[in-house]
Structure formats: C-alpha cells, structure tokens
Amino acid sequence: MNVMFNISYGLYILSAKTEKANGCVINALSQVTSTPNRIMIAINKNNFTTSQILKTKKFNVSILNEEANFDLIKRFGFASGKDTDKFEDFNGYKTAENGIPYITEGTNSYISAEVVEVRDLGTHYEFLADVTKEVSLNEIPSITYAYYQKNIKPKVTQKKKVVYICSVCGYVYEGDPLPEDFVCPLCLHDASYFVKSEI
C-alpha cells in the first residue's frame, strides 16, 4: 500500500477568470498562517486555470460538501478549460465580489484570495495567497478525497469472462463459444465434458 494515500485531502473547485470564467478540481489546499490569513494551493502547470491565476493573481476556492455529486466533479475535473466552457448550461454558481464565480451546488463555503507569492514545483505551481473573503454557505460536512473514493466516484465493475471448464481434469478454456470439436489438451475428453461458467 502507498503510504501517501494515508494523507488526508479535501476536494475543492478552484475558479478564476480572464476572458472567460473557468474552474478545476484540486485537493492541495491548506491554511498556512492565520495572521495574516493565508492559504496555499498547488495546481498543475498545464491547467488552464493556472494560466489565469498567473495572469490575474486572484482566485476563489469552493469547498465541496457531502452533497456534491459525480456530475459536478466531472464537469470541473474531467475536461480542460482550454477547449470547454465549464460554466455553460450550469446554474450552480454565483459571482463573488472579486468578479470570479464560486460554486453554490454541492459546496459549504468559499474563499476568495489574492496571490502574494508563486513557487515553481516542477510539474506544479504553489500559490501562496492572502484570503480577502471567506463565506459560509451551509453546515453540510466537507468531503475528503477518501469520502469521494468511497461514496461519490462510480464503482468500476469488471465484466465477467465466459470460460468452459473440463469436468474431468479442470482444464479451463477461455472464450465463447467452445468449439464443438474441441478436445481437452490434458485429458483428451471431448467438448461434452466441459461446463460453461463465468469468472
């Protein structure tokens, strides 16, 4: 087991705005000081949201709660803002005082922030930012990455495979159908001795 998976993460929608509003899902956010009230986020350099924050030095972070669904996370986390308008046909947001959207659907609060320092982490940028506004929307508990994996992310069901098992020696033939003239390569019994099964 990868010990790094034992570190607790939240899930957030990071939003920014230049020529258009955009957002992405992140899990790297923490408060680093309370006086001044500062947070740190880390975001992949390839994200369109990253280029927007580098340009404007402003962003909002919406904190996902336990009512968030997979469609919301998919909208902001599974497409690129470079070629997708993530706010098109989406009504679950409002605009904050800084002119950037924050998400109202499946969230319990949002934070507005202004960047004070950028650190190059190789594949990611770390943004250190002053909190300019923090607003609570409801008391529904925030989700963790573990909660997302267990309760929100769709379960992948593996398709069962059809096999034929020789009732004499246990040899397994993979494939469907079993050829009528098939002979077991181990015990030399014909196809009539094989039992269809799924694994």
Side-chain angles (χ1 to χ4, degrees):
M1 178 179 164
N2 188 335
V3 173
M4 299 303 287
F5 292 157
N6 290 331
I7 299 173
S8 180
Y9 297 94
L11 277 181
Y12 317 93
I13 296 177
L14 174 68
S15 51
K17 186 177 181 181
T18 47
E19 65 277 5
K20 70 175 182 177
N22 188 55
C24 66
V25 175
I26 63 169
N27 66 0
L29 163 71
S30 62
Q31 182 182 27
V32 291
T33 59
S34 57
T35 309
N37 192 4
R38 284 186 171 168
I39 60 173
M40 179 281 300
I41 62 168
I43 179 173
N44 192 293
K45 289 180 176 180
N46 294 327
N47 284 17
F48 182 61
T49 315
T50 306
S51 64
Q52 293 180 298
I53 296 171
L54 287 169
K55 188 180 292 186
T56 66
K57 301 292 190 275
K58 296 191 301 184
F59 61 85
N60 290 337
V61 178
S62 301
I63 301 171
L64 292 168
N65 68 25
E66 291 182 358
E67 287 188 350
N69 58 40
F70 184 70
D71 286 341
L72 177 65
I73 294 169
K74 181 179 175 183
R75 172 181 287 271
F76 288 96
F78 287 50
S80 172
K82 294 172 185 173
D83 49 32
T84 304
D85 184 349
K86 297 184 184 183
F87 285 90
E88 184 177 15
D89 299 324
F90 178 66
N91 298 317
Y93 74 96
K94 292 182 179 176
T95 302
E97 291 177 7
N98 62 5
I100 300 170
Y102 65 92
I103 310 304
T104 57
E105 176 186 315
T107 63
N108 60 24
S109 50
Y110 77 90
I111 298 167
S112 296
E114 293 186 3
V115 176
V116 294
E117 187 178 328
V118 181
R119 185 177 174 200
D120 191 330
L121 302 179
T123 58
H124 289 60
Y125 283 121
E126 177 187 86
F127 293 101
L128 182 66
D130 284 338
V131 173
T132 57
K133 193 171 187 69
E134 47 185 309
V135 177
S136 177
L137 303 174
N138 56 66
E139 299 298 318
I140 301 167
S142 303
I143 66 170
T144 61
Y145 190 67
Y147 182 92
Y148 163 74
Q149 290 287 340
K150 184 177 180 181
N151 300 292
I152 299 174
K153 184 179 179 182
K155 304 294 183 271
V156 177
T157 55
Q158 290 188 344
K159 189 176 180 181
K160 290 188 175 182
K161 181 168 47 175
V162 175
V163 296
Y164 290 83
I165 302 171
C166 178
S167 59
V168 177
C169 70
Y171 175 81
V172 178
Y173 174 87
E174 295 184 9
D176 191 33
L178 177 71
E180 291 181 8
D181 60 350
F182 186 77
V183 174
C184 179
L186 298 182
C187 67
L188 304 180
H189 283 80
D190 64 35
S192 65
Y193 288 86
F194 281 75
V195 177
K196 185 176 182 178
S197 185
E198 288 185 346
I199 58 173

mmCIF file of all heavy atoms in Angstrom, residues 58-81:
data_model
loop_
_atom_site.group_PDB
_atom_site.id
_atom_site.type_symbol
_atom_site.label_atom_id
_atom_site.label_comp_id
_atom_site.label_asym_id
_atom_site.label_seq_id
_atom_site.Cartn_x
_atom_site.Cartn_y
_atom_site.Cartn_z
ATOM 1 N N LYS A 58 -5.594 36.298 -8.825
ATOM 2 C CA LYS A 58 -6.785 36.172 -7.994
ATOM 3 C C LYS A 58 -7.476 34.835 -8.276
ATOM 4 O O LYS A 58 -7.431 34.340 -9.398
ATOM 5 C CB LYS A 58 -7.786 37.300 -8.275
ATOM 6 C CG LYS A 58 -7.292 38.695 -7.940
ATOM 7 C CD LYS A 58 -8.430 39.721 -8.002
ATOM 8 C CE LYS A 58 -9.081 39.784 -9.364
ATOM 9 N NZ LYS A 58 -10.123 40.848 -9.452
ATOM 10 N N PHE A 59 -8.137 34.304 -7.257
ATOM 11 C CA PHE A 59 -8.904 33.080 -7.437
ATOM 12 C C PHE A 59 -9.910 32.917 -6.304
ATOM 13 O O PHE A 59 -9.824 33.594 -5.278
ATOM 14 C CB PHE A 59 -7.999 31.848 -7.517
ATOM 15 C CG PHE A 59 -7.162 31.590 -6.286
ATOM 16 C CD1 PHE A 59 -7.680 30.888 -5.198
ATOM 17 C CD2 PHE A 59 -5.842 32.037 -6.221
ATOM 18 C CE1 PHE A 59 -6.905 30.643 -4.061
ATOM 19 C CE2 PHE A 59 -5.065 31.794 -5.100
ATOM 20 C CZ PHE A 59 -5.597 31.101 -4.014
ATOM 21 N N ASN A 60 -10.858 32.002 -6.521
ATOM 22 C CA ASN A 60 -11.774 31.556 -5.479
ATOM 23 C C ASN A 60 -11.619 30.056 -5.318
ATOM 24 O O ASN A 60 -11.315 29.340 -6.279
ATOM 25 C CB ASN A 60 -13.236 31.861 -5.837
ATOM 26 C CG ASN A 60 -13.539 33.346 -5.793
ATOM 27 O OD1 ASN A 60 -12.867 34.122 -5.136
ATOM 28 N ND2 ASN A 60 -14.574 33.749 -6.519
ATOM 29 N N VAL A 61 -11.846 29.581 -4.110
ATOM 30 C CA VAL A 61 -11.864 28.150 -3.843
ATOM 31 C C VAL A 61 -13.196 27.817 -3.191
ATOM 32 O O VAL A 61 -13.538 28.367 -2.153
ATOM 33 C CB VAL A 61 -10.715 27.711 -2.914
ATOM 34 C CG1 VAL A 61 -10.809 26.213 -2.643
ATOM 35 C CG2 VAL A 61 -9.368 28.051 -3.503
ATOM 36 N N SER A 62 -13.961 26.926 -3.823
ATOM 37 C CA SER A 62 -15.231 26.457 -3.274
ATOM 38 C C SER A 62 -14.999 25.096 -2.633
ATOM 39 O O SER A 62 -14.447 24.185 -3.266
ATOM 40 C CB SER A 62 -16.279 26.356 -4.374
ATOM 41 O OG SER A 62 -16.470 27.618 -4.998
ATOM 42 N N ILE A 63 -15.421 24.956 -1.387
ATOM 43 C CA ILE A 63 -15.155 23.740 -0.621
ATOM 44 C C ILE A 63 -16.320 22.765 -0.799
ATOM 45 O O ILE A 63 -17.453 23.066 -0.424
ATOM 46 C CB ILE A 63 -14.927 24.076 0.862
ATOM 47 C CG1 ILE A 63 -13.734 25.049 0.981
ATOM 48 C CG2 ILE A 63 -14.692 22.812 1.680
ATOM 49 C CD1 ILE A 63 -13.543 25.634 2.364
ATOM 50 N N LEU A 64 -16.042 21.635 -1.397
ATOM 51 C CA LEU A 64 -17.086 20.648 -1.682
ATOM 52 C C LEU A 64 -17.597 19.996 -0.400
ATOM 53 O O LEU A 64 -16.813 19.713 0.514
ATOM 54 C CB LEU A 64 -16.558 19.579 -2.631
ATOM 55 C CG LEU A 64 -16.271 20.063 -4.058
ATOM 56 C CD1 LEU A 64 -15.484 19.011 -4.831
ATOM 57 C CD2 LEU A 64 -17.559 20.388 -4.789
ATOM 58 N N ASN A 65 -18.929 19.773 -0.368
ATOM 59 C CA ASN A 65 -19.513 19.112 0.794
ATOM 60 C C ASN A 65 -20.062 17.738 0.407
ATOM 61 O O ASN A 65 -19.963 17.318 -0.746
ATOM 62 C CB ASN A 65 -20.587 19.993 1.453
ATOM 63 C CG ASN A 65 -21.828 20.180 0.589
ATOM 64 O OD1 ASN A 65 -22.149 19.374 -0.272
ATOM 65 N ND2 ASN A 65 -22.553 21.262 0.834
ATOM 66 N N GLU A 66 -20.649 17.042 1.380
ATOM 67 C CA GLU A 66 -21.081 15.664 1.160
ATOM 68 C C GLU A 66 -22.311 15.550 0.261
ATOM 69 O O GLU A 66 -22.742 14.440 -0.042
ATOM 70 C CB GLU A 66 -21.320 14.973 2.504
ATOM 71 C CG GLU A 66 -20.022 14.734 3.262
ATOM 72 C CD GLU A 66 -20.217 14.004 4.581
ATOM 73 O OE1 GLU A 66 -21.385 13.700 4.934
ATOM 74 O OE2 GLU A 66 -19.211 13.736 5.258
ATOM 75 N N GLU A 67 -22.883 16.675 -0.180
ATOM 76 C CA GLU A 67 -23.966 16.630 -1.164
ATOM 77 C C GLU A 67 -23.438 16.765 -2.598
ATOM 78 O O GLU A 67 -24.208 16.689 -3.549
ATOM 79 C CB GLU A 67 -24.997 17.732 -0.882
ATOM 80 C CG GLU A 67 -25.855 17.448 0.342
ATOM 81 C CD GLU A 67 -26.997 18.426 0.501
ATOM 82 O OE1 GLU A 67 -27.030 19.445 -0.223
ATOM 83 O OE2 GLU A 67 -27.850 18.174 1.367
ATOM 84 N N ALA A 68 -22.152 16.964 -2.755
ATOM 85 C CA ALA A 68 -21.567 17.052 -4.093
ATOM 86 C C ALA A 68 -21.753 15.715 -4.806
ATOM 87 O O ALA A 68 -21.646 14.654 -4.192
ATOM 88 C CB ALA A 68 -20.088 17.401 -3.999
ATOM 89 N N ASN A 69 -22.045 15.773 -6.100
ATOM 90 C CA ASN A 69 -22.217 14.532 -6.854
ATOM 91 C C ASN A 69 -21.128 14.398 -7.913
ATOM 92 O O ASN A 69 -20.343 15.327 -8.160
ATOM 93 C CB ASN A 69 -23.616 14.456 -7.479
ATOM 94 C CG ASN A 69 -23.908 15.625 -8.409
ATOM 95 O OD1 ASN A 69 -23.058 16.074 -9.170
ATOM 96 N ND2 ASN A 69 -25.131 16.127 -8.354
ATOM 97 N N PHE A 70 -21.101 13.234 -8.538
ATOM 98 C CA PHE A 70 -20.051 12.954 -9.508
ATOM 99 C C PHE A 70 -20.146 13.861 -10.727
ATOM 100 O O PHE A 70 -19.125 14.235 -11.307
ATOM 101 C CB PHE A 70 -20.095 11.483 -9.938
ATOM 102 C CG PHE A 70 -18.973 11.115 -10.869
ATOM 103 C CD1 PHE A 70 -17.667 11.047 -10.425
ATOM 104 C CD2 PHE A 70 -19.224 10.854 -12.209
ATOM 105 C CE1 PHE A 70 -16.627 10.723 -11.288
ATOM 106 C CE2 PHE A 70 -18.197 10.525 -13.073
ATOM 107 C CZ PHE A 70 -16.897 10.450 -12.611
ATOM 108 N N ASP A 71 -21.358 14.236 -11.133
ATOM 109 C CA ASP A 71 -21.522 15.114 -12.295
ATOM 110 C C ASP A 71 -20.837 16.459 -12.075
ATOM 111 O O ASP A 71 -20.243 17.017 -13.004
ATOM 112 C CB ASP A 71 -23.006 15.335 -12.608
ATOM 113 C CG ASP A 71 -23.652 14.116 -13.246
ATOM 114 O OD1 ASP A 71 -22.906 13.263 -13.771
ATOM 115 O OD2 ASP A 71 -24.884 14.005 -13.213
ATOM 116 N N LEU A 72 -20.923 16.984 -10.859
ATOM 117 C CA LEU A 72 -20.262 18.259 -10.541
ATOM 118 C C LEU A 72 -18.748 18.110 -10.637
ATOM 119 O O LEU A 72 -18.062 18.939 -11.246
ATOM 120 C CB LEU A 72 -20.670 18.726 -9.143
ATOM 121 C CG LEU A 72 -20.012 20.007 -8.638
ATOM 122 C CD1 LEU A 72 -20.440 21.208 -9.489
ATOM 123 C CD2 LEU A 72 -20.355 20.241 -7.167
ATOM 124 N N ILE A 73 -18.225 17.062 -10.046
ATOM 125 C CA ILE A 73 -16.781 16.824 -10.067
ATOM 126 C C ILE A 73 -16.309 16.535 -11.486
ATOM 127 O O ILE A 73 -15.245 17.007 -11.914
ATOM 128 C CB ILE A 73 -16.420 15.692 -9.095
ATOM 129 C CG1 ILE A 73 -16.721 16.156 -7.656
ATOM 130 C CG2 ILE A 73 -14.975 15.257 -9.241
ATOM 131 C CD1 ILE A 73 -16.669 15.075 -6.617
ATOM 132 N N LYS A 74 -17.120 15.810 -12.241
ATOM 133 C CA LYS A 74 -16.778 15.512 -13.632
ATOM 134 C C LYS A 74 -16.733 16.787 -14.467
ATOM 135 O O LYS A 74 -15.833 16.981 -15.288
ATOM 136 C CB LYS A 74 -17.816 14.544 -14.203
ATOM 137 C CG LYS A 74 -17.575 14.120 -15.634
ATOM 138 C CD LYS A 74 -18.654 13.141 -16.084
ATOM 139 C CE LYS A 74 -18.498 12.789 -17.548
ATOM 140 N NZ LYS A 74 -19.576 11.891 -18.001
ATOM 141 N N ARG A 75 -17.704 17.692 -14.262
ATOM 142 C CA ARG A 75 -17.753 18.951 -15.025
ATOM 143 C C ARG A 75 -16.470 19.756 -14.860
ATOM 144 O O ARG A 75 -15.903 20.260 -15.828
ATOM 145 C CB ARG A 75 -18.946 19.792 -14.559
ATOM 146 C CG ARG A 75 -18.977 21.197 -15.151
ATOM 147 C CD ARG A 75 -20.167 21.996 -14.641
ATOM 148 N NE ARG A 75 -21.403 21.541 -15.233
ATOM 149 C CZ ARG A 75 -21.906 22.015 -16.375
ATOM 150 N NH1 ARG A 75 -21.259 22.951 -17.049
ATOM 151 N NH2 ARG A 75 -23.043 21.545 -16.844
ATOM 152 N N PHE A 76 -15.996 19.872 -13.626
ATOM 153 C CA PHE A 76 -14.831 20.720 -13.375
ATOM 154 C C PHE A 76 -13.506 19.961 -13.339
ATOM 155 O O PHE A 76 -12.446 20.586 -13.410
ATOM 156 C CB PHE A 76 -15.031 21.503 -12.067
ATOM 157 C CG PHE A 76 -16.053 22.585 -12.191
ATOM 158 C CD1 PHE A 76 -17.367 22.377 -11.798
ATOM 159 C CD2 PHE A 76 -15.718 23.809 -12.748
ATOM 160 C CE1 PHE A 76 -18.324 23.368 -11.932
ATOM 161 C CE2 PHE A 76 -16.671 24.816 -12.892
ATOM 162 C CZ PHE A 76 -17.978 24.595 -12.479
ATOM 163 N N GLY A 77 -13.572 18.637 -13.266
ATOM 164 C CA GLY A 77 -12.329 17.888 -13.127
ATOM 165 C C GLY A 77 -11.937 17.007 -14.289
ATOM 166 O O GLY A 77 -10.812 16.513 -14.329
ATOM 167 N N PHE A 78 -12.847 16.793 -15.267
ATOM 168 C CA PHE A 78 -12.567 15.810 -16.314
ATOM 169 C C PHE A 78 -12.457 16.420 -17.704
ATOM 170 O O PHE A 78 -12.462 15.710 -18.691
ATOM 171 C CB PHE A 78 -13.652 14.726 -16.325
ATOM 172 C CG PHE A 78 -13.572 13.770 -15.166
ATOM 173 C CD1 PHE A 78 -13.464 14.226 -13.865
ATOM 174 C CD2 PHE A 78 -13.622 12.410 -15.369
ATOM 175 C CE1 PHE A 78 -13.408 13.354 -12.790
ATOM 176 C CE2 PHE A 78 -13.571 11.516 -14.313
ATOM 177 C CZ PHE A 78 -13.460 11.990 -13.019
ATOM 178 N N ALA A 79 -12.387 17.736 -17.797
ATOM 179 C CA ALA A 79 -12.245 18.410 -19.096
ATOM 180 C C ALA A 79 -11.314 19.602 -18.926
ATOM 181 O O ALA A 79 -11.118 20.089 -17.815
ATOM 182 C CB ALA A 79 -13.606 18.857 -19.620
ATOM 183 N N SER A 80 -10.770 20.072 -20.021
ATOM 184 C CA SER A 80 -9.870 21.229 -19.978
ATOM 185 C C SER A 80 -10.625 22.503 -20.321
ATOM 186 O O SER A 80 -11.403 22.542 -21.276
ATOM 187 C CB SER A 80 -8.714 21.041 -20.959
ATOM 188 O OG SER A 80 -7.957 22.228 -21.050
ATOM 189 N N GLY A 81 -10.373 23.544 -19.555
ATOM 190 C CA GLY A 81 -10.960 24.851 -19.837
ATOM 191 C C GLY A 81 -10.403 25.482 -21.098
ATOM 192 O O GLY A 81 -10.933 26.477 -21.588
#
